[in-house]
Amino acid sequence: MRLVLVGPPGAGKGTQAEFIAAHLAVPKISTGDIFRANVVQGTPLGIEAKRYMDAGQLVPDEVTINMVRDRLAEADAADGFLLDGFPRTVPQAVALDKLLANLGAGLDLVMELVVDDDEVIRRLSGRRQCHGCQKIWHVEFDPPSRDGICDRCGGQLYQRDDDLPATIAERLRVYARDTAPLVDYYGAQGRLVGIDATGPVEDVTLRAIDALRSYGG
Ligand code: AP5
């Protein structure tokens, strides 16, 4: 299955992507994670991306599209994938359609995680991520058993630079302006399913998997 997850920052895309990708047995491809890995490694891509990420802005389409094109060409994505955080502009969506058409394939489904701005702010302000295995935690909603330490791998947890209040506000503005139009874009293609992303993580996962089943996933 070729699936895209869309939703505002903090909707739970990264959290749900882990479970959904495991359910579908496809690789999870997160453009945010790829950019962050490049930032840590200090690559030219990471240095360029960091300027935009820290300001809550999107990395330019051309840079992002080229990066995703290379990633989708890898062998593990040949039979399906879950894209988390891409596309997030209409030009990116058009580029993805063309890329897949050239491979004789198409997207099966676009799943929108629906959650309001107040919940997004609560989720992002308490988010912590593991330096080691990238697992996502929350100080209130999903705390590790030891403060600042990942239960899964023992790595150190950190707060993302773009999870500061002013940057969160800018990311929400950018989402409304540049990414929300994808809902109409994919709705018009008949590929969109929206799910309620509020409530406990496990409940959201069940809703997502139910929705996938009704589309053959
Ligand atoms: P990216 O990493 O994709 O950030 P985002 O879309 O803003 O999404 P987040 O990762 O912030 O949130 P999420 O929806 O994954 O939520 P999560 O599961 O972590 O992108 C970062 C930056 O990279 C962008 O701003 C941009 O600069 C650049 N970029 C990336 N892709 C790009 C692209 N295609 N084009 C251009 N630029 C791009 O959950 C959040 C918190 O809530 C966690 O603490 C979690 O534990 C908690 N939580 C999750 N679910 C629940 C629940 N049900 N109840 C309570 N808490 C919950």
Side-chain angles (χ1 to χ4, degrees):
M1 189 172 226
R2 295 179 178 84
L3 175 70
V4 164
L5 276 188
V6 70
K13 301 182 297 295
T15 301
Q16 295 301 330
E18 288 248 349
F19 299 117
I20 297 171
H23 171 78
L24 294 173
V26 295
K28 160 180 112 92
I29 300 174
S30 157
T31 42
D33 284 350
I34 301 174
F35 285 135
R36 280 185 288 279
N38 276 274
V39 170
V40 170
Q41 289 157 17
T43 67
L45 174 65
I47 291 165
E48 182 178 7
K50 186 169 166 45
R51 284 194 292 133
Y52 297 97
M53 294 167 81
D54 284 353
Q57 299 292 327
L58 296 180
V59 179
D61 282 342
E62 199 191 327
V63 174
T64 309
I65 291 165
N66 286 336
M67 183 179 86
V68 172
R69 180 180 299 120
D70 290 348
R71 178 63 186 89
L72 291 182
E74 291 179 27
D76 66 338
D79 295 328
F81 50 76
L82 187 165
L83 281 168
D84 158 20
F86 182 93
R88 69 211 273 161
T89 64
V90 170
Q92 289 183 15
V94 171
L96 179 62
D97 282 347
K98 282 194 191 140
L99 189 64
L100 294 177
N102 287 340
L103 300 171
L107 280 179
D108 293 298
L109 197 63
V110 176
M111 184 175 286
E112 181 193 7
L113 299 187
V114 180
V115 59
D116 67 29
D117 286 2
D118 288 345
E119 180 65 12
V120 159
I121 291 163
R122 267 195 297 277
R123 289 184 184 182
L124 292 183
S125 352
R127 172 166 57 191
R128 300 291 181 272
Q129 193 154 357
C130 176
H131 265 307
C133 68
Q134 309 308 320
K135 177 162 171 46
I136 300 162
W137 298 91
H138 192 282
V139 292
E140 183 186 345
F141 303 129
D142 185 16
S145 44
R146 283 180 297 160
D147 243 10
I149 306 289
C150 180
D151 283 355
R152 183 158 78 183
C153 77
Q156 294 281 337
L157 305 188
Y158 72 99
Q159 182 165 27
R160 274 171 46 174
D161 290 341
D162 58 351
D163 279 349
L164 301 173
T167 319
I168 293 173
E170 180 60 15
R171 286 161 67 199
L172 282 169
R173 271 193 294 277
V174 169
Y175 181 81
R177 185 189 66 205
D178 295 337
T179 308
L182 290 181
V183 170
D184 287 341
Y185 179 86
Y186 286 121
Q189 291 186 356
R191 296 184 206 277
L192 185 80
V193 59
I195 65 157
D196 173 7
T198 58
V201 170
E202 305 72 38
D203 292 2
V204 180
T205 306
L206 287 177
R207 275 178 225 133
I209 288 175
D210 267 0
L212 285 174
R213 288 214 174 98
S214 49
Y215 286 88

